[in-house]
Amino acid sequence: MMDASELLNTAVADLALVQDLEQAQQIIRRTARRLANAHGSSVVLLDHGYCFYADEDAVSPLWKGQRFPVRQCISGWSILHRQPAIVPDIQVDERVPQEAYRPTFVKSLAIVPMRVEDPLGAIGAYWIQPHHVTDEELSRLQSLAEAAGAALTRLIASADTGRRATRLVSSGAAGAPV
């Protein structure tokens, strides 16, 4: 079994080479859960004013596939403030929308933004009982989020380039004389 630093190093290396969004999300969610010793994790992507819960790895379903207004969820708070949201007890934090959490197992959470300077999403870690996130857990999640942000930025740029090339080819511009 890998220790946390080996796990993080492997994930960072894998994210540097990943070629598609689904594979990146799988690496992020699986690694986040293990790094934080959490009962669940999520990959949240910023999507036109909404937090899209793109993927998760959890003991029971959370919010995969759902969208919440960025100003009405804790992941959005983390993204907008460009800083982690650490909540040892969700019942006493006004940033947590209680109605969204009531049907889940989540009692405690940590959310870290991906690409802090210009966030494109966040990584969430969740616990069944009130949990005080350690400095080590937070540091590992932030390192993972930094690598994830770089990987997603690269994948998005690559997809945009591919779409532009497809438009050029389909318009006939690629074969036009210069």
Side-chain angles (χ1 to χ4, degrees):
M1 184 107 158
M2 280 193 255
D3 73 8
S5 59
E6 291 172 315
L7 179 62
L8 180 58
N9 289 338
T10 299
V12 168
D14 290 348
L15 285 168
L17 300 172
V18 72
Q19 295 299 311
D20 68 72
L21 184 60
E22 189 174 315
Q23 186 181 22
Q25 290 174 175
Q26 182 181 38
I27 294 166
I28 297 163
R29 69 177 164 82
R30 182 183 64 233
T31 305
R33 184 171 172 191
R34 291 177 60 198
L35 285 176
N37 299 308
H39 298 98
S41 66
S42 63
V43 178
V44 182
L45 301 175
L46 190 56
D47 182 29
H48 300 92
Y50 287 85
C51 286
F52 173 58
Y53 283 74
D55 209 348
E56 64 189 32
D57 178 1
V59 296
S60 64
L62 293 168
W63 310 278
K64 184 175 179 173
Q66 295 184 50
R67 285 176 165 67
F68 299 94
V70 71
R71 297 194 182 283
Q72 295 176 18
C73 72
I74 189 77
S75 294
W77 185 94
S78 177
I79 291 166
L80 291 172
H81 289 87
R82 298 180 178 157
Q83 66 185 41
I86 308 298
V87 181
D89 182 350
I90 66 160
Q91 293 182 333
V92 296
D93 193 306
E94 72 281 351
R95 299 173 297 176
V96 177
Q98 297 299 314
E99 62 283 354
Y101 280 77
R102 206 167 287 118
T104 73
F105 66 83
V106 178
K107 299 293 183 247
S108 186
L109 61 82
I111 309 286
V112 293
M114 292 186 282
R115 203 175 68 180
V116 174
E117 68 282 354
D118 184 19
L120 49 71
I123 298 171
Y126 311 96
W127 293 269
I128 286 175
Q129 71 283 335
H131 176 79
H132 290 279
V133 176
T134 67
D135 291 342
E136 295 80 23
E137 289 167 342
L138 180 58
S139 177
R140 291 190 298 252
L141 285 172
Q142 288 176 305
S143 294
L144 177 63
E146 191 175 309
L152 294 178
T153 299
R154 180 178 49 79
L155 290 170
I156 290 166
S158 176
D160 286 347
T161 300
R163 281 193 291 273
R164 281 194 299 274
T166 300
R167 282 196 301 269
L168 280 174
V169 170
S170 65
S171 71
V178 259

